[in-house]
Amino acid sequence: MRRSQVLALALVGALAVPALVRAQVSEPRPFVGVDVGASVPTRDNYWAHVHTGGAISPYAGYMFDEAFGVQANLHAALQPADDDNRNFPGEEDLTTVLGATVGPRLSIPFGDKIEPYLVGQGGIFGGVSGRLEDEFDAGVSLGGGIDYYLTERWAISAFGRWNYSFIKPSPRDLNNIPGAENPYTQNPEEAIADDIQWVTAGLGVKYDWRPLPQPRVAPPPAPVAQAEPAPVLPPP
């Protein structure tokens, strides 16, 4: 994916927000939640640096009606190193990826309980430890999930995301590492650093300020028919 494509997606997301604001046809409301699950590198070169780890992503958003809204996420992925015993500095360090993204959300409710949704977000990601230390650049996060409401406002969620960033892991060439004490020959398609890609999937919890159902008011009782008074007869 080219940088221009990612920036275009982010721009489309930003331009969609005013349009969503104008789409108010029912009561708008905020929502918050957190997703927790697995983080799996999907590009060959990135998989040669790290393996499956964990991820957590708190989020907040605002629905302008039942279908259209905007959502912002914070991202944190922890991925253990692929340790091939090359013995270079930091080879076994845990890799940490942090990020922040924002974009439109499309929800498709089925009744009051089930709500599938899609999100498309652009933002920034940064590596703060391990094979991505001090790497920061633009990226996207695309995906969706299903919310299942246990009560009027609390829901559990299943989610999946595809993530892409212009961050490149280091060492940049796994077959040419300065200072490596035990050189290990990597497959050519895995050796040269490239933009990272990873997927996240798991479960979450969400609180949505949906309007609470109003209690049904009993109709007023029907008026009681009054008996007509007996006629007064004239005296004999």
Side-chain angles (χ1 to χ4, degrees):
M1 180 179 286
R2 297 187 179 91
R3 186 185 303 268
S4 59
Q5 293 174 314
V6 173
L7 295 177
L9 285 171
L11 180 60
V12 169
L15 293 176
V17 173
L20 293 173
V21 173
R22 293 193 296 269
Q24 297 184 26
V25 296
S26 64
E27 187 171 340
R29 65 193 189 274
F31 61 89
V32 295
V34 60
D35 292 329
V36 179
S39 171
V40 184
T42 55
R43 177 157 274 184
D44 288 343
N45 172 255
Y46 194 33
W47 182 261
H49 284 271
V50 299
H51 287 321
T52 300
I56 184 170
S57 181
Y59 61 86
Y62 195 85
M63 296 302 295
F64 303 108
D65 59 25
E66 287 302 313
F68 298 102
V70 63
Q71 180 173 319
N73 281 70
L74 297 176
H75 306 266
L78 303 175
Q79 297 163 331
D82 176 37
D83 184 4
D84 288 319
N85 296 316
R86 294 182 172 94
N87 298 325
F88 61 86
E91 181 179 10
E92 299 180 2
D93 291 352
L94 182 71
T95 293
T96 305
V97 186
L98 303 180
T101 56
V102 63
R105 173 184 172 116
L106 173 64
S107 294
I108 311 168
F110 287 91
D112 295 331
K113 293 290 187 181
I114 300 175
E115 184 178 308
Y117 68 90
L118 298 171
V119 290
Q121 300 174 322
I124 188 170
F125 289 93
V128 297
S129 70
R131 305 294 177 92
L132 300 174
E133 187 171 5
D134 298 329
E135 292 277 349
F136 292 86
D137 214 323
V140 296
S141 182
L142 311 174
I146 299 177
D147 296 334
Y148 181 81
Y149 284 86
L150 302 175
T151 68
E152 294 297 332
R153 291 183 168 178
W154 283 101
I156 56 174
S157 308
F159 77 94
R161 291 285 191 107
W162 176 80
N163 307 281
Y164 183 106
S165 179
F166 293 107
I167 301 171
K168 290 181 173 60
S170 61
R172 296 303 171 93
D173 185 351
L174 289 173
N175 288 332
N176 185 21
I177 305 173
E181 299 176 8
N182 180 27
Y184 172 86
T185 301
Q186 196 78 33
N187 294 332
E189 65 272 14
E190 299 175 346
I192 304 302
D194 204 347
D195 300 338
I196 64 171
Q197 297 179 19
W198 70 104
V199 297
T200 54
L203 301 175
V205 61
K206 175 187 175 188
Y207 186 82
D208 190 333
W209 277 266
R210 299 197 301 179
L212 296 175
Q214 299 299 317
R216 301 180 66 178
V217 179
V224 178
Q226 299 292 327
E228 294 185 3
V232 178
L233 299 176

